[in-house]
């Protein structure tokens, strides 16, 4: 993935509706913030919310009880398949709060 090809969390926090939203349950938060991929069960459990999208869609990752996105990822399955299969990686996490891109200094 090339820098500048995808939306960043700082842009997403300003314009929260530019990406489809997937919501993980509270139990997934610490893993997502460590850079882990989003597993299907974290998207299908109580507290999670799924927005229908195709495989290969860039999505924002929200968390149960939180106001702002904590990550941006790429779906590895369609949401229909995420619900049907309900195991393995559902979204590849490529940008999350406090990662290198988040902490990058602004260039003037």
């Amino acid at each position: 993935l090339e820098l500048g090809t995808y939306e960043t969390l700082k842009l997403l926090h300003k314009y929260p509706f530019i990406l489809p939203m997937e919501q993980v349950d509270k139990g997934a938060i610490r893993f997502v913030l460590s850079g882990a991929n989003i597993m299907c069960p974290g998207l299908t459990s109580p507290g999670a919310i799924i927005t229908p999208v195709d495989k290969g869609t860039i999505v924002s990752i929200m968390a149960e009880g939180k106001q702002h996105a904590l990550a941006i990822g790429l779906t590895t399955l369609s949401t229909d398949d995420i619900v049907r299969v309900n195991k393995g990686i559902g979204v590849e996490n490529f940008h999350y709060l406090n990662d290198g891109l988040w902490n990058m200094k602004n260039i003037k």
Side-chain angles (χ1 to χ4, degrees):
L1 300 173
E2 293 180 34
L3 184 62
T5 305
Y6 298 102
E7 289 79 1
T8 66
L9 281 166
K10 289 181 182 184
L11 181 66
L12 186 62
H13 288 176
K14 286 182 184 175
Y15 306 100
F17 301 107
I18 59 174
L19 293 176
M21 183 268 305
E22 307 301 341
Q23 180 174 297
V24 296
D25 60 19
K26 289 179 184 174
I29 295 172
R30 67 186 179 114
F31 298 105
V32 174
L33 291 177
S34 296
N37 291 321
I38 293 81
M39 306 306 281
C40 293
L43 293 165
T44 59
S45 64
I49 298 171
I50 272 197
T51 302
V53 296
D54 293 328
K55 176 182 177 177
T57 302
I58 299 170
V59 294
S60 68
I61 305 300
M62 304 295 288
E64 178 183 9
K66 302 297 178 189
Q67 183 178 357
H68 296 290
L70 66 154
I72 296 175
L74 187 68
T75 56
T76 59
L77 300 166
S78 70
T79 47
D80 288 343
D81 287 342
I82 288 171
V83 171
R84 186 177 52 76
V85 174
N86 204 25
K87 65 181 175 189
I89 298 169
V91 180
E92 181 183 345
N93 183 353
F94 62 76
H95 175 35
Y96 54 94
L97 289 176
N98 292 317
D99 68 2
L101 181 57
W102 175 264
N103 289 313
M104 211 167 78
K105 299 275 187 257
N106 288 334
I107 299 169
K108 295 181 180 180

